Amino acid sequence: MSFDLILFGGTGDLAWRKLMPALLQAHRHGTLPANGRIIGVGRDDLTHDQYRQRIAERFGRVEGAKQPSADEFARFAQLLHYQRMDLSTDADYPALAASLLSRRADTVVMYLATAPNLFAPVVQRLDAVGLGGRAASARGHDAWRIVLEKPLGHDLASNRAINDTVLSAFAEHQVFRIDHYLGKPSVQNLLALRFGNTLFEPLWRREHIAQIQITLAEELGVEQRGGFYDSTGALRDMVQNHALQLLCALAMEPPTSADADAIRDEKLKVLRSLAPWDEHALLQHAVRGQYAAGHGPSGAVPGYAQEAGVAPGSHTETFVALRAQVRNWRWAGVPFYVRTGKRLAGREARIDVHFRPVPHTVFATAGPAAPNRLVIHLQPRDGIELHLMAQGDERGAQRAGVLSPVRLDLDFDRRFGAERVGAYERLLLDVLAGRLNLFVRRDEQEAAWGWVEPLLAHWRTSTEAPRPYPAGSWGPGAATALLARDGHAWNEDA
Ligand code: BG6
């Protein structure tokens, strides 16, 4: 299969940090179709060789096994091409069109790794020179796709506007909206755990589950992205997409098949079942925080307000904790707690599923009785732990029938090797193959924006500042209080 992959934003941060390394890995693994061109598009005046040279320099700075040997890079570099374009100039598009239309590759993928305000104008200009997906279909070429990076808009209205323009030039099945969490092996394993086994399904409901916690914690701050982040915030950056996708994977009904639409239909139902934000919930079920000076992974770090690009007195949240409710028969009354933040005490993405306590106690326990809990570690560890109660091996405890907590521990990195296919590698290969399962459909994305919208509006107009928390902590005390009101606590054990 021949392909043309055009990376708009080919000299940008995402291309260097994620896309090129993912493509190189796929090339190494022999999974990238052989007869391909990867065309980086940028504003700089570069020859193909200068572009290859720049990428080689970047890879030179990569640590360890991910660094390609000179031979490996030379083979990969044969795929790399460069096209200079100013994306806001009409006259720069016909050359790209001529190159793509004359080669007639089997698959053509346009990847918009650009600022989101360029999505709509770029799509219109592509369409004007015959590079839209609908035009390609009319020419009998259906493997013609577009990839859109997040954020797709900054609220429901801007999301709809982008989707309207994109869908005027491409059909829905040609549009691949990225949420890179869906590409993580650990997230795919969540669906495998639920729908590839019978064990959990009978228990996966309100009668047996008391509460679910989703934690997406980062140790780093906003790094070099202060300007972008200050107009975005954690709710848009992490909750509207990644956290809600995880919530969907946890709460959805079993799909009728593994087809993209069968899965996306079920996720959509979850999003539509989320309890909307009323006044009580806005005040009681959502906490926003902002990090103050404190400690990062390698010493003292400044607060968010001191980061480059952040507006003075900014109310942008770097931490969010929420209590969500899925209003259907399976989940009525089961709180789903979500928290995410930058500059927290550790880098950890995990899900804790808390089962209900035993209905009648016949054993004594060493310490407080711990109801069963399933912990799904997403990163940096990838694995599953099942917390149970068992008779300890200590003689006294055995005699007296005293139980202690134990855990069954399945480490996927050890089982499958830590060198598994990375999120972007998987997603790029899926785009080339036309597999839509791990991409977000328009209606799903709009439902997610629609759900966060009242909270965005509430925080935009609120005079109350986000609650400060010291860098290196687990967030503001109000996030602890959010669970304490229900008699629960966040799980922070290793
Ligand atoms: C991105 C956010 O979508 O996800 C970043 O824009 C965040 O702010 C990143 O750091 C987290 O991704 P990961 O894969 O490192 O958990």
Side-chain angles (χ1 to χ4, degrees):
M1 180 193 92
S2 60
F3 72 89
D4 276 339
L5 169 61
I6 306 96
L7 294 182
F8 296 93
T11 52
D13 194 52
L14 187 77
W16 299 133
R17 275 190 315 112
K18 302 280 190 189
L19 304 179
M20 284 298 173
L23 289 165
L24 176 76
Q25 282 300 98
H27 187 63
R28 267 178 166 174
H29 294 152
T31 44
L32 199 62
N35 186 8
R37 291 194 303 183
I38 299 167
I39 306 174
V41 172
R43 251 195 314 212
D44 298 349
D45 221 342
L46 300 176
T47 63
H48 300 307
D49 274 337
Q50 283 167 330
Y51 185 58
R52 291 173 192 136
Q53 191 52 38
R54 274 206 195 177
I55 293 174
E57 281 160 20
R58 289 291 177 129
F59 277 121
R61 282 183 249 148
V62 171
E63 282 164 20
K66 295 239 162 109
Q67 188 172 129
S69 68
D71 265 8
E72 242 170 4
F73 185 78
R75 278 195 300 277
F76 176 64
Q78 289 170 5
L79 308 184
L80 298 177
H81 299 259
Y82 185 74
Q83 176 84 33
R84 199 210 70 83
M85 278 176 78
D86 176 347
L87 295 181
S88 41
T89 303
D90 293 349
D92 284 2
Y93 286 73
L96 178 69
S99 159
L100 298 184
L101 296 176
S102 63
R103 181 164 184 253
R104 296 189 57 84
D106 298 329
T107 302
V108 176
V109 174
M110 277 164 281
Y111 195 126
L112 299 197
T114 63
N117 61 343
L118 290 177
F119 290 169
V122 168
V123 166
Q124 280 162 339
R125 291 191 178 103
L126 288 173
D127 201 30
V129 294
L131 295 182
R134 292 184 190 278
S137 296
R139 292 194 299 270
H141 196 316
D142 210 34
W144 195 282
R145 308 182 179 125
I146 189 159
V147 185
L148 302 168
E149 261 296 334
K150 71 174 265 283
L152 223 69
H154 57 273
D155 57 11
L156 181 58
S158 52
N159 176 258
R160 278 195 177 137
I162 293 172
N163 275 325
D164 282 345
T165 306
V166 171
L167 291 171
S168 67
F170 290 81
E172 179 65 37
H173 73 273
Q174 297 171 318
V175 183
F176 289 68
R177 299 179 190 81
I178 293 240
D179 182 316
H180 79 279
Y181 265 62
L182 296 180
K184 291 182 190 276
S186 53
V187 176
Q188 286 150 45
N189 250 324
L190 179 55
L191 294 182
L193 178 79
R194 288 201 56 206
F195 306 128
N197 299 283
T198 53
L199 195 61
F200 291 109
E201 176 51 24
L203 304 175
W204 212 256
R205 56 192 62 250
R206 63 191 301 280
E207 290 80 1
H208 302 285
I209 292 180
Q211 47 135 336
I212 296 186
Q213 301 179 9
I214 300 171
T215 295
L216 304 178
E218 296 184 83
E219 265 183 327
L220 294 178
V222 292
E223 305 302 294
Q224 280 77 45
R225 299 197 307 157
F228 158 78
Y229 196 87
D230 205 35
S231 58
T232 305
L235 187 63
R236 291 188 178 94
D237 193 39
M238 295 293 288
V239 177
Q240 182 273 335
N241 33 67
H242 309 322
L244 284 184
Q245 284 292 332
L246 291 177
L247 192 151
C248 285
L250 286 163
M252 69 193 263
E253 295 298 318
T256 48
S257 73
D259 284 355
D261 278 334
I263 294 172
R264 300 186 310 177
D265 287 346
E266 296 306 335
K267 289 196 290 174
L268 180 64
K269 277 198 240 165
V270 175
L271 292 165
R272 289 187 173 156
S273 313
L274 287 172
W277 293 93
D278 58 18
E279 207 164 322
H280 170 79
L282 286 172
L283 296 173
Q284 297 294 321
H285 296 162
V287 172
R288 64 170 170 167
Q290 192 185 82
Y291 63 83
H295 290 278
S298 46
V301 292
Y304 177 73
Q306 285 77 52
E307 301 276 16
V310 171
S314 166
H315 277 192
T316 298
E317 77 285 355
T318 61
F319 175 94
V320 175
L322 303 174
R323 181 189 195 279
Q325 295 259 29
V326 180
R327 295 191 305 180
N328 60 22
W329 275 43
R330 190 187 282 267
W331 295 116
V334 179
F336 284 74
Y337 302 107
V338 173
R339 70 174 166 170
T340 182
K342 300 222 179 258
R343 285 272 183 246
L344 296 181
R347 174 171 182 254
E348 184 171 35
R350 67 189 272 174
I351 294 163
D352 289 80
V353 180
H354 287 249
F355 291 91
R356 295 197 181 279
V358 292
H360 171 66
T361 311
V362 293
F363 294 108
T365 52
N372 297 138
R373 176 158 55 102
L374 180 70
V375 187
I376 302 161
H377 291 282
L378 303 173
Q379 67 184 28
R381 247 190 87 181
D382 180 1
I384 292 171
E385 272 169 31
L386 187 58
H387 292 235
L388 305 165
M389 295 298 280
Q391 188 76 249
D393 61 3
E394 187 223 317
R395 273 171 202 283
Q398 262 175 5
R399 251 200 325 268
V402 174
L403 305 191
S404 337
V406 290
R407 46 174 99 158
L408 272 172
D409 196 344
L410 174 58
D411 182 333
F412 285 132
D413 289 333
R414 228 179 16 229
R415 176 67 186 79
F416 298 119
E419 257 297 291
R420 289 154 72 197
V421 175
Y424 272 100
E425 183 180 350
R426 171 73 198 261
L427 294 174
L428 281 161
L429 291 172
D430 279 3
V431 177
L432 288 171
R435 280 189 296 265
L436 279 156
N437 296 37
L438 302 179
F439 298 85
V440 184
R441 204 168 59 191
R442 175 186 193 162
D443 46 9
E444 246 183 289
Q445 203 170 48
E446 288 188 2
W449 274 116
W451 187 69
V452 298
E453 187 115 299
L455 194 51
L456 284 172
H458 173 66
W459 284 346
R460 193 170 50 240
T461 51
S462 167
T463 50
E464 211 177 292
R467 292 164 193 270
Y469 60 95
S473 70
W474 278 114
T480 311
L482 175 74
L483 269 69
R485 281 200 291 275
D486 296 338
H488 300 142
W490 294 106
N491 289 111
E492 277 150 17
D493 52 355

